[in-house]
Amino acid sequence: MAFRWKNDLTAKDVTPKSLYMNRRQIMAGLSGLGLASIGGKAAAEELEPNSYEEITSYNNFYEFGTGKGDPAENAHMLTTSPWSVEIDGLVDKPGSYDFQEIMSNMTIEERIYRFRCVEAWSMVIPWQGFELADLLDMVGVQQGAKYLAFQTAFRPEEMPGVRYAVLDWPYVEGLRLDEARHPLTIMATGIYDQRIPNQNGAPLRLVVPWKYGFKSIKSIVRITATDQEPPTSWNKANAGEYGFYSNVNPNVDHPRWSQATERRIGGGLFASRQDTLMFNGYDEVASLYEGMDLAKNF
Amino acid sequence: MNHLNTLLRKLPVWVVYLVLALPPFWYLYLGLTGGLGVEPIKALEHELGELALIFLIIGLSVTPLRRFLGLNLMKFRRAIGVMTFYYVACHLLVWLMLDVQDPARIWADIVKRPYITVGMAAFVLLLPLAVTSNNLSVRKLGAKWRKLHKLVYPAAILGAVHFVMLAKGFQIEPLIYLAIIMVLLALRLMPRAAAQYVQRKLS
């Protein structure tokens, strides 16, 4: 069906290619002169997507290392073609779906979303992708299914980070079925009209913009429809800090740091913090959680 | 080893102060010009914190190096100690001024966030040591000076624990720092005779 949700950030907010390629140099030069972003322009910044370089050089993808620059350095080792996604569990047409086959059945659209990391930094990213609901319709989700479980590729020979037990590999995530079917939820396959780079989760990843970034699982090889709440990696690692829902919520702090504010990447050494928005500004999802205590179901 | 000790005796202490004073300015320059990546605040904060831990370790190594290897760095110990405090102070300053920014949040974080409480405790323990790192204090405090400066032991442990506590998931690097500091402190518990035996064996 596609196009069930309309951007309030539109294509004209996307920086032209010639500009985003060297925006950082410009920013760097300005901050060197002490001119850039010392407050005042927060409102204008709000709508401006981050540069391609920012989006692709500052990543959390622990399979390639825990440093922010490690994924950009190491993710080239990941073979993304051929790629297939195992779709199983409570679905009508389970099986191994080739990435190209999925793409030929999906409508690709652009979504410019705010992206809020649980570490209290954020970006604005122009994704290309398709609605997860469309993929679910393609395979037919059965009546009894209530959740989706997702799994990232686990390839020790291509992923230097999995040598260390930072997390219990492979990385797994989950959504409630109604969250997965929400028109905001997409499977991203591109950034700035280019094939999504490996460090950002090639060839396809989840993007759930009202949840902390770690919910948006990368380089997916398996999707399982289930009637049970599936285990999720960060929750397994530290249940007191990471819940199943992990909705962006300025009122519920991470035990080790406040979630009330965030720092938009790209502001340089003197970037000021801005207030974090409930559901990362996507109020239209509030009805999914009606009657739930979001401090308990964090 | 004697040869090396002779060479070290010729190196003026001010060189150590100068060389150790420069890196924070270099990192600040990198942060301003894009050399620390797209999130320079966290990068600068982390870089300075890690250097503080490294200099803490070097400072704590002076005594074991002398006891076990006969390498004499005593002349530079004060400079290493003072400059360690300098890095801790720079790290704290970046956190206050560039990272958290808001004074109300700074206090809330110190009270509410255990890893920050622990880091602040380490800083507070180092304060009197920095203040008394001068000849006048050594003379005035006499035997008490040595006792006071043993505060660097708990401060080092707290500094490493601070790093361990802020890691996400199970990460090796902070644990290595903690392990090195614990070994350096444990070496001090070795009886004099045993230490002399080890030194004879090694030299």
Side-chain angles (χ1 to χ4, degrees):
Chain A
M1 206 171 100
F3 302 109
R4 274 173 283 217
W5 184 84
K6 206 167 162 330
N7 272 315
D8 56 350
L9 305 179
T10 63
K12 70 174 168 24
D13 293 314
V14 180
T15 315
K17 198 169 185 171
S18 58
L19 280 180
Y20 74 69
M21 281 308 190
N22 56 32
R23 193 172 85 95
R24 181 170 143 224
Q25 283 92 311
I26 298 167
M27 290 300 292
L30 284 175
S31 41
L33 297 167
L35 291 174
S37 65
I38 308 176
K41 44 184 281 197
E45 280 272 321
E46 175 102 45
L47 297 173
E48 192 189 349
N50 283 87
S51 71
Y52 185 81
E53 195 198 339
E54 284 158 1
I55 295 167
T56 59
S57 71
Y58 194 78
N59 307 97
N60 279 325
F61 198 166
Y62 281 11
E63 283 84 341
F64 296 102
T66 53
K68 293 288 182 287
D70 292 345
E73 198 173 308
N74 298 324
H76 65 90
M77 294 183 233
L78 183 69
T79 312
T80 57
S81 180
W83 191 276
S84 59
V85 183
E86 184 79 25
I87 304 181
D88 58 7
L90 301 171
V91 293
D92 295 331
K93 289 174 267 178
S96 177
Y97 288 84
D98 184 72
F99 175 65
Q100 292 309 332
E101 181 195 345
I102 293 173
M103 288 298 270
S104 63
N105 283 291
M106 295 292 120
T107 309
I108 301 299
E109 56 181 303
E110 174 161 76
R111 296 287 176 93
I112 303 166
Y113 283 159
R114 282 177 286 271
F115 182 93
R116 170 63 155 78
C117 179
V118 73
E119 296 166 353
W121 54 265
S122 65
M123 296 191 188
V124 174
I125 304 177
W127 304 103
Q128 286 79 44
F130 55 86
E131 290 186 8
L132 178 55
D134 288 347
L135 181 65
L136 297 179
D137 290 342
M138 185 179 108
V139 297
V141 179
Q142 295 174 356
Q143 277 296 324
K146 292 192 178 69
Y147 297 92
L148 288 185
F150 301 86
Q151 188 177 313
T152 296
F154 173 73
R155 297 183 192 160
E157 66 286 359
E158 295 184 358
M159 297 173 151
V162 302
R163 282 199 295 258
Y164 307 96
V166 182
L167 289 168
D168 180 15
W169 313 112
Y171 193 81
V172 289
E173 258 304 337
L175 290 176
R176 231 166 50 188
L177 193 59
D178 57 345
E179 296 176 320
R181 281 197 169 280
H182 194 280
L184 276 171
T185 304
I186 61 165
M187 296 291 262
T189 56
I191 292 173
Y192 270 116
D193 290 319
Q194 299 180 52
R195 189 189 153 279
I196 195 168
N198 288 4
Q199 62 266 36
N200 296 83
L204 84 167
R205 65 169 292 172
L206 187 66
V207 175
V208 195
W210 71 91
K211 291 176 181 285
Y212 293 121
F214 68 85
K215 292 293 291 183
S216 294
I217 182 170
K218 299 188 180 87
S219 304
I220 295 167
V221 292
R222 189 171 185 187
I223 303 172
T224 309
T226 150
D227 57 356
Q228 313 257 330
E229 184 182 288
T232 60
S233 285
W234 281 104
N235 180 256
K236 284 195 288 179
N238 195 336
E241 297 188 346
Y242 308 97
F244 175 77
Y245 287 96
S246 293
N247 293 321
V248 175
N249 187 343
N251 308 313
V252 177
D253 285 345
H254 184 283
R256 282 185 277 163
W257 54 81
S258 164
Q259 296 290 27
T261 62
E262 65 200 54
R263 189 157 48 231
R264 176 70 48 82
I265 297 297
L269 205 49
F270 304 107
S272 51
R273 285 175 174 271
Q274 58 191 66
D275 288 341
T276 289
L277 305 170
M278 187 65 206
F279 298 120
N280 205 20
Y282 299 97
D283 297 327
E284 56 263 61
V285 300
S287 59
L288 294 174
Y289 308 103
E290 230 161 70
M292 281 175 71
D293 181 350
L294 294 179
K296 259 188 209 139
N297 299 284
F298 58 87
Chain B
M1 201 54 74
N2 278 337
H3 191 61
L4 189 57
N5 283 335
T6 314
L7 268 176
L8 282 169
R9 263 197 295 277
K10 285 183 190 151
L11 180 70
V13 176
W14 65 262
V15 173
V16 176
Y17 278 109
L18 183 71
V19 168
L20 297 191
L22 295 176
F25 292 98
W26 171 244
Y27 283 112
L28 191 65
Y29 167 77
L30 287 181
L32 285 168
T33 52
L36 292 180
V38 298
E39 218 299 37
I41 298 173
K42 276 285 167 203
L44 184 63
E45 191 176 277
H46 180 88
E47 214 55 73
L48 293 170
E50 197 155 353
L51 284 170
L53 275 175
I54 288 170
F55 291 122
L56 259 174
I57 285 172
I58 293 173
L60 288 175
S61 306
V62 171
T63 296
L65 283 174
R66 195 174 52 131
R67 278 182 91 188
F68 298 113
L69 298 177
L71 179 66
N72 193 348
L73 296 169
M74 284 305 281
K75 177 182 163 187
F76 306 106
R77 192 168 67 169
R78 177 186 291 173
I80 296 166
V82 169
M83 294 317 279
T84 301
F85 180 77
Y86 166 73
Y87 280 87
V88 174
C90 288
H91 170 68
L92 179 61
L93 218 59
V94 169
W95 179 72
L96 293 174
M97 315 266 293
L98 299 180
D99 191 351
V100 186
Q101 300 167 350
D102 175 4
R105 261 202 60 199
I106 288 168
W107 183 245
D109 271 359
I110 292 171
V111 183
K112 253 174 100 174
R113 318 282 169 206
Y115 85 89
I116 292 173
T117 317
V118 166
M120 277 309 280
F123 172 75
V124 169
L125 288 179
L126 290 177
L127 260 177
L129 310 197
V131 172
T132 56
S133 286
N134 54 71
N135 292 339
L136 183 68
S137 297
V138 175
R139 249 181 287 130
K140 272 194 139 174
L141 291 168
K144 272 186 254 164
W145 189 92
R146 282 180 63 93
K147 238 185 183 166
L148 176 69
H149 278 247
K150 287 207 175 8
L151 280 179
V152 74
Y153 303 159
I157 296 172
L158 289 174
V161 168
H162 167 70
F163 191 20
V164 170
M165 286 174 78
L166 62 86
K168 278 174 65 200
F170 176 78
Q171 296 198 35
I172 307 275
E173 197 194 4
L175 293 172
I176 291 174
Y177 278 97
L178 182 60
I180 292 173
I181 285 171
M182 296 313 276
V183 167
L184 287 172
L185 295 186
L187 285 176
R188 288 166 160 78
L189 300 174
M190 198 183 278
R192 186 179 298 263
Q196 279 166 353
Y197 176 78
V198 174
Q199 186 180 346
R200 273 199 304 277
K201 281 277 160 195
L202 288 175
S203 54

